[in-house]
Amino acid sequence: MENEICKISISTNWLGDEYIFYEDDRIKRIYDSNSLSSDKTEWVEPKQISKQNKDKIIKNCPEELKERVMMILDYP
């Protein structure tokens, strides 16, 4: 069973983009690549996430979880 820490959305306009963080340091991304292809799911490594997206994730992260999420993301 996967223990979820939190779900953080960095969606823009019409395309969804959500990251789910788990206790075992894994990250799942659920996103729409275009309006006809929605809810794609993939497991990602921190190095696969752009600096810009990491910034958005941290900005949207609940304050009490920021430190944990930053560790998972290997965020400076």
Side-chain angles (χ1 to χ4, degrees), residues 45-59:
E45 297 291 325
K47 63 182 179 274
Q48 295 174 282
I49 302 171
S50 71
K51 166 90 167 75
Q52 181 182 10
N53 281 352
K54 286 182 181 181
D55 291 343
K56 290 179 188 176
I57 290 167
I58 296 302
K59 181 180 175 214

Side-chain angles (χ1 to χ4, degrees), residues 4 6 21-22 24 28 33-34 42 51-52 60-62 64-67 76:
E4 188 178 301
C6 66
F21 294 85
Y22 293 93
D24 61 2
K28 184 188 286 185
S33 55
N34 59 53
E42 66 182 359
K51 166 90 167 75
Q52 181 182 10
N60 293 339
C61 184
E64 66 275 8
L65 299 172
K66 275 189 182 176
E67 189 174 322

Side-chain angles (χ1 to χ4, degrees), residues 7-29:
K7 201 178 283 192
I8 300 172
S9 173
I10 60 168
S11 300
T12 58
N13 297 338
W14 303 309
L15 299 179
D17 198 1
E18 187 172 70
Y19 291 83
I20 304 170
F21 294 85
Y22 293 93
E23 287 290 338
D24 61 2
D25 292 352
R26 292 185 307 146
I27 306 166
K28 184 188 286 185
R29 181 181 181 211

